[in-house]
Amino acid sequence: DIVMTQSPDSLAVSLGERATINCKSSQSLLYDSNKKNYFSWYQQKPGQPPKLLIYWASTRASGVPDRFSGSGSGTDFTLTISSLRAEDVAVYYCQQYYSFPLTFGGGTKVEIK
Amino acid sequence: QVQLVESGGGVVQPGGSLRLSCAASGFTFTNYGMHWVRQAPGKGLEWVAVISYDENNKYYTDSVKGRFAISRDNSKNTVFLQMNSLRSEDTAVYYCAKGLRTSSVYDAFDFWGQGTMVTVSS
């Protein structure tokens, strides 16, 4: 199984400041034939289902504000919130869809400092 | 708009069975793989199973193999999860999720239902 390791477990950031979350996979998620990373990010607010933010490591899902960006390739990935807003308080999860079982990282809780 | 509505959760004794349903609307159901993802209370997300758009491919996480079965009825835009031999560690909110791409099972999940709670307890 591919293990997804997120860091940090929690993060407190001032409003308007940058938040950075990292995710490392135990093997490469880059598929040679199409050069795509089979990797995504989700946001989950309390009492709600997760919401897709980023797929293919860097493509924003429909309706996602451009303050959210994804980067990285292979085994190392980053989610950046460029200017934190109060509504961004949530738990963020990374996920690989390269091989079964599909796996998630343990989550990163983002709070306001 | 895409809607996924789960039902069928509840309280069941260890060793018991439940059948979850997920009614889909707002998209061409027959084109997409459908997944079940669960979340134990206060814990992270765990992918459970997927069924391909044409029902020909099904995959499961190891801990549910031989106990859970995913199926779909494309005439009714519904996906199911039959859960047998339930254990306390199966206690979770179970989400139905739509695959992002047509005709794929290796996918991110672009829409999720609100979830249905399954509690396995004596």
Side-chain angles (χ1 to χ4, degrees):
Chain A
D1 298 4
I2 297 177
V3 177
M4 306 297 288
T5 304
Q6 283 184 237
S7 62
D9 292 337
S10 64
L11 183 61
V13 176
S14 301
L15 291 173
E17 296 300 305
R18 178 185 299 259
T20 302
I21 301 170
N22 299 300
C23 183
K24 179 181 277 288
S25 60
S26 60
Q27 65 185 76
S28 177
L29 305 181
L30 181 63
Y31 195 48
D32 284 344
S33 66
N34 60 12
K35 300 304 180 189
K36 288 182 179 289
N37 287 282
Y38 282 54
F39 178 87
S40 59
W41 288 103
Y42 300 85
Q43 174 193 66
Q44 187 178 32
K45 297 180 179 180
Q48 295 185 19
K51 172 188 173 183
L52 178 65
L53 294 177
I54 302 284
Y55 58 96
W56 299 133
S58 60
T59 302
R60 266 189 301 277
S62 177
V64 174
D66 61 6
R67 65 180 180 275
F68 291 93
S69 63
S71 62
S73 183
T75 61
D76 292 278
F77 302 90
T78 299
L79 175 70
T80 302
I81 309 172
S82 60
S83 178
L84 192 77
R85 299 180 63 159
E87 60 261 38
D88 301 333
V89 168
V91 179
Y92 293 83
Y93 294 94
C94 60
Q95 180 227 345
Q96 65 82 17
Y97 46 103
Y98 184 90
S99 69
F100 291 111
L102 308 185
T103 49
F104 291 89
T108 296
K109 187 174 186 178
V110 174
E111 300 172 308
I112 306 295
K113 185 189 290 183
Chain B
Q1 70 283 18
V2 172
Q3 281 199 308
L4 300 171
V5 180
E6 303 95 337
S7 61
V11 180
V12 62
Q13 292 187 336
S17 297
L18 278 177
R19 189 192 196 206
L20 306 184
S21 300
C22 171
S25 61
F27 64 101
T28 306
F29 183 74
T30 52
N31 286 353
Y32 292 90
M34 296 296 296
H35 300 254
W36 288 96
V37 177
R38 67 185 178 183
Q39 187 168 34
K43 302 297 185 182
L45 301 169
E46 180 183 27
W47 174 82
V48 174
V50 62
I51 184 167
S52 61
Y53 70 103
D54 58 4
E55 306 179 66
N56 286 342
N57 294 289
K58 303 173 185 179
Y59 298 93
Y60 301 90
T61 193
D62 282 351
S63 63
V64 309
K65 282 179 185 174
R67 300 189 300 124
F68 290 12
I70 191 170
S71 61
R72 63 192 294 161
D73 183 340
N74 283 345
S75 69
K76 296 182 178 178
N77 288 4
T78 302
V79 61
F80 304 98
L81 186 68
Q82 177 66 45
M83 304 187 297
N84 300 327
S85 303
L86 282 161
R87 306 166 180 168
S88 58
E89 55 263 37
D90 296 317
T91 294
V93 174
Y94 284 73
Y95 295 104
C96 167
K98 171 186 167 292
L100 176 65
R101 300 180 290 158
T102 58
S103 308
S104 178
V105 290
Y106 296 89
D107 240 343
F109 317 125
D110 59 350
F111 290 95
W112 300 61
Q114 289 297 311
T116 187
M117 182 71 204
V118 171
T119 302
V120 183
S121 174
S122 55

